Amino acid sequence: MAPTTSRDPAPPRVEAVEGDITREQVDAIVNAANSSLRGGGGVDGAIHRAAGPVLLEECEELRAGPLPAGLPVGQAVATGAGQLAASHVIHTVGPNRHAGQTNPALLRSCFTESLRIAEELGARTVALPAVSAGVYGWDIDEVARIAVDAARSHRGRSVEIVRFVLFGAPALQAFERALAVES
């Protein structure tokens, strides 16, 4: 019997940069969406503005079809990317601490589900924000630890680079600290 030659997929390269996620030259951008999928503030609003009206139209189609009640917390769904350089936007809804959503597993699910969807799309490069940091009340260091661990734990066939694109030096520093910890 011949030895097997299949090997487990390697983890993706995980990196963090400060920047504008809407300008990333990647296959897929992850949107820190609200459950309505209709845009909003922060990263969500910036992505919707940069993508143009076609993104909202695709989100409305999801609401009219498979997601009439909106996207549940911790889940992810993909659309096209409109006028963005990316081919796809993967929308995920992070838990809101102010609303009592304090389970770290829900936050981790945002990252793992987004990467699962990226695999389904065949994306090689994925840019993600610090989901649930900021107005949703999660501490940036906790978000960074959970996000980096989820990315390092990902094993798929297509995703090669996971880039956290962060707003501001404090967020970048939190992710750099998380990346400095050996897994």
Side-chain angles (χ1 to χ4, degrees):
M1 187 179 246
T4 61
T5 57
S6 67
R7 21 176 212 141
D8 290 334
R13 184 173 84 217
V14 182
E15 55 193 38
V17 298
E18 184 177 358
D20 179 348
I21 198 166
T22 67
R23 296 176 185 253
E24 287 295 309
Q25 302 285 320
V26 293
D27 297 321
I29 289 174
V30 175
N31 179 20
N34 61 54
S35 63
S36 76
L37 298 176
R38 293 187 171 118
V43 170
D44 192 17
I47 289 174
H48 272 267
R49 284 188 300 278
V54 70
L55 183 60
L56 181 58
E57 290 170 14
E58 287 191 48
C59 289
E60 291 291 354
E61 288 174 16
L62 289 170
R63 291 298 306 272
L67 297 170
L71 184 62
V73 173
Q75 297 301 305
V77 65
T79 62
Q83 298 172 14
L84 294 168
S87 299
H88 306 279
V89 174
I90 299 169
H91 309 266
T92 190
V93 179
N96 185 338
R97 272 201 179 275
H98 305 301
Q101 298 167 340
T102 60
N103 185 345
L106 277 177
L107 181 58
R108 183 181 177 87
S109 181
C110 293
F111 299 105
T112 59
E113 284 297 299
S114 293
L115 292 172
R116 183 185 64 76
I117 296 290
E119 286 289 337
E120 288 179 4
L121 297 169
R124 291 180 46 229
T125 54
V126 182
L128 298 99
V131 175
S132 287
V135 298
Y136 276 21
W138 284 73
D139 175 75
I140 189 63
D141 287 301
E142 186 173 11
V143 171
R145 282 190 305 273
I146 290 168
V148 167
D149 183 64
R152 284 179 168 163
S153 299
H154 179 74
R155 299 293 185 273
R157 300 272 178 217
S158 70
V159 176
E160 297 172 4
I161 299 172
V162 173
R163 181 178 303 133
F164 291 101
V165 182
L166 307 156
F167 182 75
L172 177 60
Q173 292 163 358
F175 274 77
E176 287 173 339
R177 285 189 296 274
L179 285 166
V181 174
E182 293 297 319
S183 52

